[in-house]
Amino acid sequence: MKIQLYLGALFSQIQGKHWWIGILLWFIVVAPAQASVILRVAIEKGVNQVKVGASTTAIVKDSSGRTLGQLPGMSAYAAQAVPGGVALDKWQSGLFWIEPTAKGFVYIGDRWFRGRTLVIPTENGLTAVNWVDLEEYLYSVIGGEMNSSWPQEALKAQAIAARTYALYKREQQRNNPIFDLGDTPDRWQIYKGVSSESRNTYAAVDSTAGQVLTYDNRIILSVFHACSGGHTENVEDVWGNPLPYLRAVQDFDQNIKECNWSRTFTPGEISSRISGVGNVRDMIIESLSPFRSVKTLRIVGDQGTKVLKGEAVRTALKLRSTRFTLNKDANGNFTLQGLGFGHGLGMSQWGAYNLAKQGANHLQILGHYYKGVALTPIQAK
């Protein structure tokens, strides 16, 4: 199924929202990245249908690499799951590659990306995977994870942390035959495609190209978060397993309004989020980290008790952080007054912003948040 006008209108909208005059002019202005690492980023997973296309004429190939034909530029087609594979326009195959010519962009779902597209059947439908150069992937991630108007030294620190994190996760996923990463912040990093790129993200990535953080010659788990509210945490107090480089340090993000939050829950709201306890009667903070984040929270109901530990406290209740105080009012409602946004491990992005504003460079920022690490050139595998 071909969709012409919708994609063209979206492309015009992307152009209008950003500084560039012509989106294809980017490839003349921006020097290509030098890294040779290719990432496989899952954009759509387990869907029955996904829109795909390219900004330029695209070559369509099957699983053997045989060219089946071409898709015209600036058109979107619906790839659909069918028995035995995928249907795309007039073709049917076990899978499809879509490769734009002349350094064009690919279109997946509702966004534009660099690289090429693999559409492949998986257990629950189709998965659309963006195969993209690591450095070009980072052009987008930096703008998704940080405001691209922030100081360049903060953006550089983010670039190195994000590059390191992507390669760490890629290694974890080495047995996954389909993809290395997703595009969301729950397990991965924010990857929006070309819409979050800018001159500043290009500069941050290009000036740190190929640099990662290592500890004992191994790539580290370079996690980061929005803000800690004054002090980061030791990893074992959040996820349970100690790591020598994720140690608690003083932070510099207390002045950020997003780091201060308050939530009030009725007993019914708690019951709907926590299964197996029935009607909630009480919530009790049982233990705190040395920096007053909640390590253990007991929830007591009329049908049972559940103990949440570490990061499970934040995710189960959908809180901004685990650094909070707890009060119960006369009506049985629970008010949580909190600090921080995220898990509180590794680099605070707002802390990096403030440190950069105070004159710290990106290496000083990274050295503050990740202890005992080395800056190392990547080795492509």
Side-chain angles (χ1 to χ4, degrees), residues 137-153:
Y137 161 82
L138 293 171
Y139 288 157
S140 171
V141 168
I142 306 315
E145 288 288 352
M146 269 188 179
N147 187 320
S148 60
S149 68
W150 280 15
Q152 188 65 202
E153 293 303 314

Side-chain angles (χ1 to χ4, degrees), residues 196-262:
S196 59
E197 296 182 7
S198 71
R199 283 192 178 97
N200 288 341
T201 69
Y202 300 148
V205 174
D206 290 347
S207 63
T208 64
Q211 297 175 8
V212 294
L213 300 173
T214 60
Y215 187 94
D216 276 350
N217 296 318
R218 294 186 177 184
I219 287 178
I220 71 165
L221 176 57
S222 55
V223 290
F224 44 86
H225 58 283
C227 51
S228 71
H231 213 287
T232 69
E233 290 289 341
N234 292 313
V235 64
E236 61 269 23
D237 290 327
V238 180
W239 290 338
N241 296 319
L243 291 169
Y245 49 83
L246 289 181
R247 313 315 303 156
V249 297
Q250 179 186 356
D251 212 343
F252 303 90
D253 54 13
Q254 299 92 319
N255 63 324
I256 307 303
K257 65 179 181 179
E258 290 87 352
C259 287
N260 293 269
W261 56 270
S262 180

Side-chain angles (χ1 to χ4, degrees), residues 100-159:
T101 59
K103 296 184 178 179
F105 299 121
V106 292
Y107 182 77
I108 306 173
D110 60 359
R111 290 173 289 163
W112 294 96
F113 299 89
R114 295 173 182 264
R116 57 180 176 151
T117 304
L118 170 66
V119 183
I120 186 169
T122 49
E123 185 175 349
N124 297 315
L126 298 180
T127 294
V129 184
N130 178 211
W131 283 50
V132 61
D133 179 273
L134 168 63
E135 303 297 313
E136 294 183 344
Y137 161 82
L138 293 171
Y139 288 157
S140 171
V141 168
I142 306 315
E145 288 288 352
M146 269 188 179
N147 187 320
S148 60
S149 68
W150 280 15
Q152 188 65 202
E153 293 303 314
L155 296 177
K156 288 180 184 179
Q158 181 67 70

